[in-house]
Amino acid sequence: MNEAAAGKGFSMNTLEIRNLTVEYTSDDETVHAVNGVDLVIPSGKTLGLVGETGAGKTTTALAVLNLIPEPQGRILSGEVLLEGENVLAMSEKQLHTVRGDRVAMIFQDPMTSLNPIQTVGEQIAEGIRLHRKVDAKEAMRQAIDMLDTVGIPGDRALEYPHQFSGGMKQRVVIAIALACRPDLLIADEPTTALDVTIQAQVLKLIGELREKQQMSLLMITHDLGIVAEVCDEVAIMYAGRIMEQGTLADIFDNVRHPYTRGLFDSLPDIENRRAELKPIKGLMPDPTNLPSGCPFHPRCDYARPECSQALPETRRLSDTHIVRCHLYNEAACDMLGVKADG
């Protein structure tokens, strides 16, 4: 936790998102990107936000930084509390002090995240100078130290992005994000453009640095294998809503929501290579025309009449496990012997 946060009183949760709703509008349609999302990341923990492309994961991350592009994008409701402070109520001056310092983000594609006409050392030093108020020489010294930290020789600080491989570029992006030791790191599909071997190296590096710097991590991904490797808790997102959330054990060993089950069933079985994959039928709904009721009901094998008529409430199955599904109404929860508070 940085000194500024310490001075304001420490919260047990690094991040709390409450009833976040975000939409994008054009001339003739409205994209309902995020629809009443609630998320919590305790101090020092890693939350995996999982879902298909178009689920609303990146929009949620951008809202944490109050970076929803205007005027097309609008945050209609909600709070984003960073150690108790509402980011959405901050002035632009306050946001400049938060972004890159208390919260940092690793974007999907390192190829487009780096400035091609600046050396990598200059790009790391830029954030350090902005937030740490040090001179250019000291900022470059710290930038070189950060390159060493992410496994790149410091003497490469004077080189340009085109002189680095894809994996090395992603390490530079990580160095930029971590240069000011943020309380919260957001990693948005950080290994998408990398081959499998480099993916493993980058994930290991992120995990080691998270542990070393004692920061919280929001890992956005569609890959359950990545979640199993680096996350403490998991939130499953679909059509802008959290459908199931729990600890790693809750989700991997006690999956409840039909959509979450579909994600697992669509994975290859390495123990039985002859087993057929079971893809989820249909496609993600059009975010400009979401289905009535539960947004997953058109693709769900367990859909009942009420699924198309009413949005299910969020049910708490245990102290750590919640699900949004009509299969877990009060009667069903009573039969299972689990909690049924919404």
Side-chain angles (χ1 to χ4, degrees):
M1 181 179 62
N2 62 36
E3 293 177 3
K8 296 182 180 293
F10 176 60
S11 169
M12 289 297 290
N13 297 321
T14 300
L15 180 69
E16 294 182 48
I17 299 176
R18 299 176 180 173
N19 193 34
L20 179 67
T21 300
V22 183
E23 69 178 23
Y24 298 96
T25 57
S26 63
D27 293 337
D28 55 356
E29 60 184 15
T30 298
V31 174
H32 304 283
V34 176
N35 304 297
V37 161
D38 296 295
L39 285 175
V40 173
I41 305 181
S43 177
K45 296 295 185 180
T46 297
L47 172 70
L49 186 58
V50 181
E52 295 170 89
T53 299
K57 306 185 299 298
T58 296
T59 295
T60 301
L62 292 175
V64 172
L65 291 164
N66 204 348
L67 282 175
I68 300 298
E70 297 179 341
Q72 293 84 6
R74 291 191 303 159
I75 297 175
L76 298 184
S77 68
E79 294 180 305
V80 175
L81 302 179
L82 178 63
E83 293 172 333
E85 294 182 85
N86 188 3
V87 174
L88 303 184
M90 291 181 179
S91 66
E92 276 301 313
K93 183 177 180 181
Q94 289 173 308
L95 288 170
H96 280 305
T97 66
V98 167
R99 297 171 185 150
D101 183 18
R102 294 173 61 188
V103 184
M105 187 164 178
I106 301 171
F107 293 92
Q108 289 189 27
D109 187 357
M111 316 301 176
T112 58
S113 299
L114 296 171
N115 187 334
I117 61 172
Q118 271 190 314
T119 68
V120 298
E122 289 171 337
Q123 293 183 62
I124 300 170
E126 183 177 7
I128 296 171
R129 290 192 69 185
L130 176 64
H131 296 292
R132 293 295 175 260
K133 308 302 181 185
V134 298
D135 61 27
K137 183 177 180 180
E138 174 60 19
M140 184 57 72
R141 186 195 66 77
Q142 292 184 28
I144 291 170
D145 286 345
M146 275 308 305
L147 283 175
D148 285 330
T149 298
V150 299
I152 298 175
D155 58 10
R156 299 196 68 183
L158 299 179
E159 295 181 14
Y160 292 86
H162 73 269
Q163 295 174 275
F164 291 79
S165 67
M168 285 296 186
K169 285 179 184 175
Q170 192 62 297
R171 287 173 182 263
V172 172
V173 171
I174 293 169
I176 293 171
L178 299 185
C180 293
R181 297 183 175 272
D183 299 318
L184 173 66
L185 175 66
I186 302 172
D188 186 4
E189 303 274 10
T191 60
T192 295
L194 307 176
D195 66 50
V196 175
T197 302
I198 304 302
Q199 280 186 24
Q201 293 175 4
V202 168
L203 289 174
K204 181 180 179 183
L205 175 63
I206 291 173
E208 290 173 348
L209 293 175
R210 187 204 65 78
E211 187 72 26
K212 182 179 179 181
Q213 298 194 14
Q214 296 185 322
M215 62 186 171
S216 302
L217 172 62
L218 175 60
M219 175 66 73
I220 296 173
T221 184
H222 62 274
D223 189 331
L224 288 165
I226 290 176
V227 169
E229 187 171 341
V230 303
C231 297
D232 302 301
E233 299 183 7
V234 191
I236 306 296
M237 195 170 195
Y238 185 84
R241 295 188 183 276
I242 302 301
M243 309 307 280
E244 186 168 9
Q245 183 175 350
T247 64
L248 207 60
D250 289 333
I251 302 301
F252 278 72
D253 300 333
N254 193 27
V255 58
R256 292 297 190 184
H257 199 282
Y259 176 60
T260 312
R261 169 55 60 195
L263 292 178
F264 279 103
D265 285 347
S266 63
L267 296 175
D269 185 347
I270 60 174
E271 295 181 357
N272 181 8
R273 299 186 179 224
R274 294 179 178 273
E276 291 187 13
L277 299 182
K278 300 176 184 177
I280 302 171
K281 66 183 181 182
L283 300 172
M284 280 277 290
D286 180 353
T288 67
N289 185 28
L290 293 174
S292 60
C294 173
F296 185 61
H297 86 261
R299 305 174 70 187
C300 183
D301 291 333
Y302 303 94
R304 304 185 297 193
E306 61 264 36
C307 297
S308 63
Q309 298 165 5
L311 181 71
E313 296 180 4
T314 297
R315 298 293 180 183
R316 185 167 292 280
L317 306 181
S318 73
D319 290 339
T320 58
H321 196 177
I322 62 172
V323 65
R324 183 187 284 271
C325 180
H326 283 299
L327 293 175
Y328 299 94
N329 58 24
E330 290 190 37
C333 287
D334 286 342
M335 290 178 62
L336 289 168
V338 297
K339 299 180 182 180
D341 49 314

